[in-house]
Amino acid sequence: MLSDLHTSAGRGAPAGRDAWHAALAPVLLRLHDAAYDRTSAYAQSHTGARDFALANGYSAADADAYGHEYAHLSDEVNARAFAQSHALALGEALSVAYATDGDRAYAQTWPGAQARAVVRACAGSAPTDGAAAAAAAAVGLADGLLTALRPRG
């Protein structure tokens, strides 16, 4: 659906805001879910909960177990909240920009943040030896952005 809307807009017939919003919502949710840094978030949650438990008289082993349990329970909830909040904020802005084909409207969609989210999502989905794949994805993204931002005509 999103590809069809882009194709139509490229031919000079952009869809309305509602059509863009409906097509963008699931894509943005997946993007921001993939861009969420679960490893760092888990580590921070674990450390905070473990330190809280230690400060409240837990043994080191019990505090560590408490930290892991807390991090495990909060990890997916935090990832979902991150994805939903970013998709909500960005979805409306992109829908307006794509529907109006306006440079100013697009500038208000936080393009730098979008690029970072895509790079993080690509890097996060790369194989464990994926440093080269992540770098290639970033280069591909940069090439795509340059192509998209070239003046028309």
Side-chain angles (χ1 to χ4, degrees), residues 118-119 122-123 126 130-144:
V118 171
V119 169
C122 289
V139 170
L141 173 65
D143 290 345

Side-chain angles (χ1 to χ4, degrees), residues 6-151:
H6 280 294
T7 300
S8 179
R11 291 182 179 142
R17 188 194 65 77
D18 291 340
W20 280 108
H21 199 273
L24 284 165
V27 172
L28 292 172
L29 279 172
R30 284 193 310 273
L31 167 66
H32 288 285
D33 180 72
Y36 185 73
D37 185 359
R38 285 173 170 77
T39 303
S40 294
Y42 186 95
Q44 288 175 352
S45 293
H46 172 263
T47 300
R50 184 202 62 218
D51 291 352
F52 172 82
L54 286 170
N56 285 283
Y58 284 64
S59 70
D62 287 344
D64 188 58
Y66 176 80
H68 282 295
E69 183 177 344
Y70 180 85
H72 175 72
L73 290 172
S74 66
D75 193 44
E76 282 307 308
V77 173
N78 290 335
R80 187 170 38 252
F82 174 87
Q84 288 173 340
S85 62
H86 281 80
L88 181 65
L90 187 54
E92 186 60 33
L94 279 173
S95 298
V96 169
Y98 290 158
T100 61
D101 194 25
D103 296 343
R104 238 174 242 243
Y106 181 73
Q108 295 173 351
T109 67
W110 310 281
Q114 290 180 67
R116 283 189 298 279
V118 171
V119 169
R120 283 188 87 168
C122 289
S125 64
T128 52
D129 63 345
V139 170
L141 173 65
D143 290 345
L145 287 172
L146 291 173
T147 299
L149 296 173
R150 269 193 201 111

